[in-house]
Amino acid sequence: MAACGQLESASPVFEPGLDVRWAGVLVALPSLLVNGLLKFSKEHFFLPKGFYGLESLLVIFAFLALLRVKSLEKVQHFDPGELGKLVGLDRIPEVKILREKLKILSQQGSPADWSRELGRFWMEEDPGLAGILYIDGHVRVYHGNQTALPKRYVAREKLCLRGVTDYWVNDSLGNPFFVVTQTVNSGLLSVLEHEIIPRLLEDVPNQPTQEELKVNKNLFRFAIVFDREGFSQIFFKKMLALRIACYTYRKNVKDVWPESEFVETEVIFPNGEKAAMKLAERGLRYPDADIWVREIRKLKESGHQTSLVATDFLSDTARIAGSMFSRWSQENFFKYMMEHYGIDRLIDYQLEKMDDTTKVVNPRHRELESQIRSRSAKLYRRKAEYGALIYGKEIDEKEIQGYVQKKAELIEVIEELEKEIQPLKALKKDTKKHIPFSELPEAEKFKELKKNGKQFSDTIKMIAYRAETALVNVLRSYIPK
C-alpha cells in the first residue's frame, strides 16, 4: 500500500523483546513529548503518503540526537531493525530516505515557525526562567569550498575563519529557547536590537501591563544578560525606554575601588547553588547617554576586581551578581552541544541567494583600513626607534656621524609614512563602510547556506537537550554528590 501511495502512514506496533540495543533511549520518550516534540508539528509540516509518518520521523530524529548520531551518514552503522523496534516499526529508513524526508520537512514545511511556537511554549511553561534571558553568539565555522562566506573572529580557535554566527537565547539554567542565524555578522548589538528584542517583546510571558509600568518606574518587562561585546551606553538607553533591564560587563575599567567598600555577601545562583562573594556597588552616570546605571564589582582573592553594570534598579546586589555570573551555564551549553550533539555540523550542502538589500562590509573600506593599519604599525615602530635613539646612551665623537645619519634616515621614513597615511585616512572617511549586497563586485559576492534544514535540526536538538536536562533534574536527588 505504501509503494502504491495508498497508505497514509504505518501505525507503530510495539511487541515484547529481549536484549534490544539502545532501548534505554525509550526512557526519554515521555520527556521528549512533554518538551514539545510532537507539539505544533501537524500545523507546520506535511508529508506525502508513505510508510513513515510525521510522528514516527520526529521520534526517530530525536532518538538519533539522544544516541549522539551527529550526522545522518552515521545511521548506516546502526542496525535498522533494532532501531525500528524503538519506534514500533519494522525498521528505520536508510540514510537516503532520511535525507529525502528531511528535505521535504525543511523545504515544504516551516521549521522557523515551528521553532518559534516551541520557544513561546517553553517560556510559558516556566515564566520565571523567561524573566532573565542569556544571549550570546556562537560561530559555526564553514570548511567547505562551495561559497566564500565572510570571515569572523572565532575565539576558541583564536583565528579569523569563514562561517556563520548563531545567536542563542537561553534561560538562566542553560536551557535554549531559540537561535538566530546570521550569515553576515552585523554584531551582537545589531542582532539584539533588530532580531531578538522585537521577538522577546512578543513572546516573553507575564510582562507587566502599561499601568503597572507607570506606577513603578523601576519595574521592567524582562532582563537580558550578555557579554561585554554588547556594552553600549546608547543601547542601554534604548532598552530603558522599552523597560528592558540589561546586565553586562563594564568596558574600559581603569580605577580601583578600596577594599574597605567590599562586603562578603551570600549569592544564590539560579540553579540553587550558593557562594560567598565580596561585592561592592556604586552608581555610575554616563553623561553622553544621560543615564544612570548600577556598577557592581566582585573582589577576587588575587585582588582583581570584576566590574559589571546593570540597569535593573529593582533587584538587590546579590541577585544581580548571581544572574550575571551564571553566564557559565550558557558557555557550558555551547560546549556540551558541540561535543555531544554536533551543532556545528552541516546538515546539507544547499545554498541560497543573499538578499540584495543586506548590508555588508565594503571591500574598498576594508582594504583602506588594512593599509592604514599596516603603515601605522610601521610608523609606531619607527617613532619608538627614533625615541630610543634620542633618549638613549650618550654619543661620543667617534659615533656622532653615524648617529646623525641614522637620525636623518628615521626622520625621513617617519615623514614619508605620515604623508602616506594622511590621504588614506581622508579616502577612508569618504568611503562607505557598509554597502548593499547588490553593490558588491561580482568577485566578492557569495551565497549563504540554506537555513531551513539547520533550523529543523537545531530545533530537534534543543528538544533533545531539554528532555535530557529534565531527566537529570528528576534523577538529581538520587545521585550521590
Side-chain angles (χ1 to χ4, degrees):
M1 289 178 68
C4 297
Q6 297 181 5
L7 182 68
E8 194 70 38
S9 64
S11 300
V13 177
F14 292 90
E15 296 179 356
L18 294 175
D19 298 328
V20 180
R21 294 188 68 186
W22 312 296
V25 77
L26 284 168
V27 174
L29 183 57
S31 188
L32 288 169
L33 298 177
V34 167
N35 278 280
L37 178 62
L38 304 182
K39 204 169 184 64
F40 314 118
S41 58
K42 291 182 180 179
E43 301 168 23
H44 299 290
F45 298 109
F46 165 78
L47 278 176
K49 292 182 179 180
F51 186 80
Y52 297 102
L54 176 60
E55 292 185 351
S56 295
L57 282 169
L58 290 174
V59 173
I60 289 170
F61 283 126
F63 280 177
L64 291 176
L66 289 171
L67 291 170
R68 305 307 191 253
V69 180
K70 298 176 185 176
S71 66
L72 291 182
E73 279 68 25
K74 290 189 176 181
V75 173
Q76 61 187 320
H77 301 301
F78 286 76
D79 185 341
E82 291 286 277
L83 284 176
K85 292 178 182 178
L86 304 183
V87 293
L89 300 174
D90 296 338
R91 55 182 290 133
I92 66 163
E94 59 182 17
V95 175
K96 180 182 177 182
I97 301 301
L98 279 174
R99 282 211 166 276
E100 287 178 2
K101 298 296 185 183
L102 177 61
K103 187 176 180 180
I104 293 171
L105 290 171
S106 58
Q107 292 187 359
Q108 297 183 14
S110 50
D113 294 338
W114 183 49
S115 181
R116 176 155 193 168
E117 289 227 46
L118 283 173
R120 191 182 294 118
F121 164 70
W122 292 329
M123 290 182 186
E124 291 172 352
E125 283 290 289
D126 202 335
L129 289 175
I132 300 181
L133 299 149
Y134 292 71
I135 302 160
D136 199 5
H138 172 78
V139 178
R140 183 156 41 93
V141 179
Y142 174 70
H143 297 289
N145 54 13
Q146 287 186 299
T147 182
L149 291 175
K151 290 184 178 181
R152 60 213 65 207
Y153 182 71
V154 185
R156 61 184 182 275
E157 302 284 350
K158 296 183 179 178
L159 292 169
C160 280
L161 301 170
R162 299 192 186 280
V164 297
T165 305
D166 295 329
Y167 289 93
W168 289 83
V169 179
N170 298 58
D171 67 22
S172 53
L173 300 179
N175 293 315
F177 285 127
F178 62 87
V179 59
V180 174
T181 299
Q182 295 287 299
T183 301
V184 177
N185 185 17
S186 53
L188 177 60
L189 278 174
S190 176
V191 176
L192 275 170
E193 188 173 350
H194 300 108
E195 300 284 343
I196 295 176
I197 296 301
R199 178 167 172 177
L200 292 177
L201 285 171
E202 290 185 18
D203 293 352
V204 172
N206 295 353
Q207 294 184 42
T209 63
Q210 288 295 335
E211 289 299 320
E212 291 172 330
L213 291 171
K214 284 181 182 178
V215 171
N216 188 345
K217 293 183 179 181
N218 292 329
L219 197 62
F220 54 88
R221 298 178 185 277
F222 51 85
I224 54 175
V225 184
F226 47 90
D227 202 359
R228 56 172 52 84
E229 180 191 350
F231 181 94
S232 166
Q233 304 172 27
I234 304 301
F235 180 73
F236 295 159
K237 187 171 185 176
K238 289 179 180 178
M239 293 303 102
L240 281 171
L242 294 173
R243 306 296 289 271
I244 298 171
C246 298
Y247 302 172
T248 189
Y249 295 110
R250 184 186 170 191
K251 275 187 176 180
N252 305 320
V253 180
K254 297 178 181 178
D255 62 323
V256 178
W257 292 359
E259 291 191 19
S260 58
E261 288 190 33
F262 292 85
V263 178
E264 188 158 318
T265 309
E266 183 184 67
V267 174
I268 302 176
F269 295 102
N271 64 353
E273 293 183 16
K274 298 179 181 178
M277 294 183 184
K278 289 186 177 180
L279 302 175
E281 180 180 348
R282 291 182 185 178
L284 177 64
R285 184 175 181 272
Y286 287 118
D288 293 343
D290 191 26
I291 58 168
W292 281 89
V293 299
R294 297 170 68 178
E295 181 179 5
I296 299 170
R297 292 195 185 182
K298 172 189 173 185
L299 179 65
K300 295 183 179 180
E301 292 183 3
S302 62
H304 176 74
Q305 297 180 6
T306 303
S307 175
L308 63 96
V309 292
T311 56
D312 173 1
F313 300 98
L314 198 62
S315 306
D316 58 36
T317 305
R319 184 182 178 188
I320 293 175
S323 298
M324 187 70 230
F325 295 124
S326 288
R327 282 195 69 251
W328 57 265
S329 64
Q330 195 172 34
E331 298 296 333
N332 284 350
F333 167 78
F334 290 145
K335 183 178 179 181
Y336 192 84
M337 291 297 280
M338 282 191 293
E339 183 177 346
H340 294 275
Y341 285 94
I343 58 169
D344 286 351
R345 287 180 174 265
L346 277 176
I347 300 303
D348 56 44
Y349 299 93
Q350 298 181 75
L351 303 174
E352 56 187 358
K353 289 184 178 180
M354 288 288 299
D355 185 350
D356 284 341
T357 61
T358 303
K359 293 289 185 180
V360 295
V361 176
N362 187 347
R364 180 57 180 157
H365 187 280
R366 184 168 52 232
E367 181 186 344
L368 290 169
E369 201 169 49
S370 176
Q371 291 175 3
I372 293 169
R373 194 182 300 115
S374 174
R375 285 165 174 75
S376 297
K378 290 178 182 177
L379 178 62
Y380 176 82
R381 290 195 295 270
R382 295 296 177 264
K383 284 185 174 180
E385 192 176 343
Y386 181 79
L389 185 67
I390 294 295
Y391 299 104
K393 64 179 181 178
E394 293 184 5
I395 309 299
D396 56 31
E397 292 182 1
K398 295 179 181 179
E399 297 174 331
I400 190 68
Q401 186 175 355
Y403 169 79
V404 172
Q405 185 179 353
K406 180 69 174 175
K407 183 178 175 182
E409 289 175 357
L410 283 172
I411 290 174
E412 185 180 351
V413 172
I414 289 171
E415 289 178 349
E416 185 65 29
L417 286 169
E418 286 177 340
K419 287 179 182 178
E420 290 179 11
I421 291 172
Q422 190 174 357
L424 287 172
K425 284 185 174 179
L427 192 56
K428 177 190 168 186
K429 188 176 181 181
D430 294 334
T431 304
K432 292 180 180 179
K433 185 174 182 180
H434 295 94
I435 58 174
F437 184 81
S438 58
E439 295 180 15
L440 267 182
E442 284 300 322
E444 297 279 344
K445 288 188 176 181
F446 56 89
K447 293 184 178 181
E448 62 179 338
L449 302 174
K450 210 165 183 65
K451 295 178 181 177
N452 284 352
K454 189 70 171 64
Q455 181 93 57
F456 177 82
S457 174
D458 283 344
T459 305
I460 292 288
K461 289 171 182 178
M462 281 193 278
I463 295 170
Y465 179 88
R466 296 180 73 93
E468 196 174 337
T469 303
L471 286 175
V472 170
N473 291 334
V474 170
L475 297 172
R476 193 180 296 278
S477 60
Y478 300 98
I479 300 173
K481 295 181 180 179

